[in-house]
Amino acid sequence: MTEFTEILSHITWWMWVLIVLLIVAIRDIFFQKRHTISHNFPIIGHIRYLFESIGPEIRQYFVANNREELPFNRIERSWIYASAKKENNYEGFGTDRDIYAHQHIFINNAMMPFKIDKNHPNYLDKTFLPCAKVMGLHNKRKKPYRPASIINVSAMSFGSLSAKAVESLNKGVKMAHAYHNTGEGGLSPYHCNGGDVIFHFGTGYFGVRDENGDFSIEKLVDMVEKTPYIRAIEIKLSQGAKPGKGGVLPAAKITKEIANIRHVPLGKDVLSPPNHSAFSNVPEMLEFIEIIAEKTGLPVGIKAAIGKLDQWIELADLMLKTGKGPDFITIDGGEGGTGAAPPSFADHVSLPWVYGFSDVYKLFKDRNLTDRIVFIGSGKLGFPAKAAMAFAMGVDCINVAREAMMSIGCIQAQVCHTNRCPSGVATQSKWLQSGINIPLKSERLAQYFKTFRKELIEITHAAGYEHPCQFQMKDIDVNVDDHNLSEDLNKTYMYEKTAVPFNGIQALKSCGFLGGNHK
């Protein structure tokens, strides 16, 4: 033993490196059969896998130019980061964007901008920008709700996001007077820090399911009664990442905390089927909405990615016939979002937001139903110019998911589905979460929202309006093709937006249904 120890003591560090490499080479050649590259090229082959694993980061920082990367390019990310930190988010020496590119947006400014006086709410608060419509007012819900912010946090579940990320978002929306959509993972303690909440559920009915996995109205009513900051209910029909596809929450990922929040058993895989069990057609869905609204008193809406329109036509016709229907509709873009999905779904199933929203909005406009509904847009709209376009097309609020994640530290590593998110935002790893400073990150989410609203207000005033709801489709041009380079939105999408009733920002500020802790 002494002689063996003596031999080891004479082995230098570089000899240890050679020994380790030799062991790896022997393993690659004689024992490892799964990877051809490392078998044929022992040791060196591992470098290939290393670079492949950090490919997104290499492209992000060293290869792609400022405007090239997807889903969010460097300029977009930098604007969010700077806005969230209250840093200089300007750019100098003119734009480096190709302003002649397809789908580029032009906002038509007025000769004389809108002028505010010293008593105007936006003179006193440059970030005050509530929704111009009230959820549930038309349908006479017991507790109508006017979102106090036109930008809000989209549906992202606890479980998909970390506990610290969810808590940061909720505390941030409270500071920004916005709302926080829970996602379909149930209402967690991390959603309960005083920010307005829209409770969202899908086909798994997590948090409001009985022992058989079916919807329980009793559990929903009990939750609403105990949680006064739940301001509305959203029923998910589909999402942009994977519309029409169910999902499985593996048993290995279900902690005791997640099991309690979602009302699911420990030790068993949990299925989110493609279809709802509470209803199977449009008339049944309409009745389901009315039952929930009656029992809870809250506005009730639906969320969907858009493809075929036949059932949307049926819904619009039934709303016209019965006078019933959802109080708000969230249209999700097929661009995908925080939800992990097969590339075949993320790339090809459902329409991009601009096409999906315009198709659905036209159906309701043709039946004079748009005044009843608060339209919410979701799909890479977390930038002031894109939001101006969305308002011109008919939205009343926007929801942001990935943009909100970036404001609290997400670096677009694109590993959300692996539980190895380096920023701690989309992981359940306690170690990776430990880097999230909740007070700091919540302030950054709030500051991003405030900066967004301030710049959108300034764009709105530049166009001659007081509130983004006043944007008309002729106020926005979009590049269509090389032969007819720029067209108004109304010519591009073949409809005119319905004018939204609006009596000034002060009237919105004085509204008794205004949310966001303004009272």
Side-chain angles (χ1 to χ4, degrees), residues 132-207:
K133 290 182 184 174
V134 179
M135 294 179 179
L137 194 62
H138 175 85
N139 289 320
K140 297 181 174 59
R141 308 303 187 199
K142 296 172 187 173
K143 303 173 185 176
Y145 173 57
R146 185 192 297 275
S149 171
I150 53 88
I151 179 173
N152 303 281
V153 173
S154 192
M156 296 183 285
S157 307
F158 167 59
S160 174
L161 298 193
S162 67
K164 285 194 171 184
V166 173
E167 186 172 345
S168 298
L169 292 173
N170 192 259
K171 289 182 175 179
V173 299
K174 182 180 180 181
M175 296 178 195
H177 307 295
Y179 67 67
H180 186 182
N181 191 307
T182 64
E184 63 179 313
L187 182 74
S188 74
Y190 313 107
H191 292 104
C192 302
N193 293 282
D196 284 358
V197 165
I198 289 187
F199 180 74
H200 168 112
F201 65 83
T203 58
Y205 306 116
F206 298 127

Side-chain angles (χ1 to χ4, degrees), residues 57-210:
E57 289 84 356
I58 291 175
R59 291 189 293 273
Q60 185 177 113
Y61 297 110
F62 302 110
V63 178
N65 67 35
N66 286 343
R67 300 286 186 181
E68 190 174 51
E69 196 179 3
L70 292 174
F72 293 89
N73 63 48
R74 187 177 297 130
I75 292 293
E76 290 171 331
R77 295 196 311 274
S78 296
W79 181 84
I80 293 173
Y81 296 146
S83 299
K85 296 173 185 177
K86 209 173 182 179
E87 295 175 350
N88 185 346
N89 63 2
Y90 286 25
E91 59 182 53
F93 212 64
T95 182
D96 62 357
R97 183 185 290 274
D98 180 3
I99 62 173
Y100 300 101
H102 181 61
Q103 291 291 312
H104 185 74
I105 299 166
F106 300 94
I107 300 167
N108 296 321
N109 59 295
M111 180 185 285
M112 304 290 179
F114 180 84
K115 185 177 181 180
I116 59 175
D117 59 37
K118 292 185 178 181
N119 295 318
H120 193 280
N122 287 142
Y123 187 89
L124 306 172
D125 181 357
K126 297 183 186 300
T127 72
F128 180 70
L129 193 57
C131 179
K133 290 182 184 174
V134 179
M135 294 179 179
L137 194 62
H138 175 85
N139 289 320
K140 297 181 174 59
R141 308 303 187 199
K142 296 172 187 173
K143 303 173 185 176
Y145 173 57
R146 185 192 297 275
S149 171
I150 53 88
I151 179 173
N152 303 281
V153 173
S154 192
M156 296 183 285
S157 307
F158 167 59
S160 174
L161 298 193
S162 67
K164 285 194 171 184
V166 173
E167 186 172 345
S168 298
L169 292 173
N170 192 259
K171 289 182 175 179
V173 299
K174 182 180 180 181
M175 296 178 195
H177 307 295
Y179 67 67
H180 186 182
N181 191 307
T182 64
E184 63 179 313
L187 182 74
S188 74
Y190 313 107
H191 292 104
C192 302
N193 293 282
D196 284 358
V197 165
I198 289 187
F199 180 74
H200 168 112
F201 65 83
T203 58
Y205 306 116
F206 298 127
V208 288
R209 56 191 269 148
D210 61 20

Side-chain angles (χ1 to χ4, degrees), residues 132-134 138 316 319-320 326-329 357-376 393-396 495-501:
K133 290 182 184 174
V134 179
H138 175 85
M319 289 176 64
L320 191 62
D327 300 293
F328 62 95
I329 297 177
F357 180 83
S358 58
D359 282 353
V360 169
Y361 186 88
K362 279 188 280 191
L363 295 178
F364 290 96
K365 180 186 180 300
D366 290 345
R367 292 159 178 79
N368 296 316
L369 294 169
T370 52
D371 288 345
R372 302 186 187 185
I373 303 164
V374 173
F375 287 98
I376 302 172
M393 293 178 69
V395 305
D396 302 295
Y495 73 94
E496 292 284 354
K497 168 194 167 183
T498 304
V500 176

